[in-house]
């Protein structure tokens, strides 16, 4: 992912980059410009905002992509490095590397996180698994709304159900 590279020799501490950053990853005082890596979302607006070209474009690895094969089944998986806050860029890279096959199954995290949204984006259909609990009902309502907004039809499986579960 993108990370800003600060050139303190070019920076005049105007604060335009910090003003542009919606996530508070840059703090500009009259004495220094400070970068908080844990708050950065890699949007790159700081580079565009700096009129003195004091911010360059660096790169940082947030994970790895692993591939494998067993019999006729191939798989790809993204492994996010511990401590990374967002796996969405890694999921986008994994999805971009999926070969064009007749059947592709994407397993993704539960809920409607950014990572889950990236995993289902562009899918032909989805299979949603829920547990028959109040939290499960609430979560599946959010997932159904997300899939509807993305125009992805879905089916529902109730995990650990007893056949008499009321949704």
């Amino acid at each position: 992912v993108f990370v800003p590279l600060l050139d303190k020799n070019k920076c005049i501490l105007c604060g335009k980059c910090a003003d542009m950053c919606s996530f508070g990853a840059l703090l500009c005082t009259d004495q220094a410009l400070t970068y908080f890596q844990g708050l950065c979302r890699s949007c790159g607006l700081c580079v565009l905002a700096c009129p003195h070209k004091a911010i360059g474009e660096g790169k940082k690895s947030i994970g790895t992509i692993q591939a494998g094969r067993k019999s006729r089944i191939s798989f790809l998986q993204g492994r996010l490095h511990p401590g990374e806050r967002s796996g969405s860029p890694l999921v986008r890279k994994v999805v971009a590397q999926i070969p064009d096959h007749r059947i592709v199954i994407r397993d993704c995290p539960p809920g409607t996180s950014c990572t889950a949204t990236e995993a289902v984006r562009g899918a032909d259909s989805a299979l949603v698994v829920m547990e028959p609990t109040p939290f499960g009902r609430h979560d599946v309502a959010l997932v159904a709304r997300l899939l509807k907004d993305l125009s992805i039809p879905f089916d529902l499986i109730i995990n650990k159900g007893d056949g008499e579960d009321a949704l």
Side-chain angles (χ1 to χ4, degrees), residues 9 17 24 63 92 101 106 109 114 135-136 144 149 162:
N9 294 324
C17 58
R92 278 192 293 276
H101 288 301
R106 300 180 194 175
C114 295
F135 179 77
D149 289 349
D162 61 10

Side-chain angles (χ1 to χ4, degrees), residues 30-100:
D30 58 353
Q31 296 180 2
L33 176 63
T34 305
Y35 169 59
F36 300 99
Q37 182 175 327
L39 298 176
C40 183
R41 292 289 187 255
S42 302
C43 70
L45 287 177
C46 56
V47 174
L48 298 175
C50 182
H52 302 283
K53 302 195 184 316
I55 302 178
E57 296 187 31
K59 297 275 184 201
K60 174 184 143 186
S61 172
I62 62 166
T64 59
I65 297 175
Q66 298 172 320
R69 183 173 188 84
K70 179 72 174 173
S71 299
R72 297 182 330 177
I73 299 174
S74 299
F75 75 89
L76 288 171
Q77 73 173 358
R79 294 185 61 97
L80 194 64
H81 293 320
E84 292 297 335
R85 296 184 71 177
S86 175
S88 296
L90 182 59
V91 172
R92 278 192 293 276
K93 288 274 190 181
V94 170
V95 169
Q97 290 185 21
I98 295 173
D100 189 22

Side-chain angles (χ1 to χ4, degrees), residues 4-22:
L5 296 178
L6 310 179
D7 185 341
K8 295 185 182 201
N9 294 324
K10 292 181 180 179
C11 181
I12 64 164
L13 303 175
C14 69
K16 290 182 179 179
C17 58
D19 292 341
M20 186 63 75
C21 183
S22 300

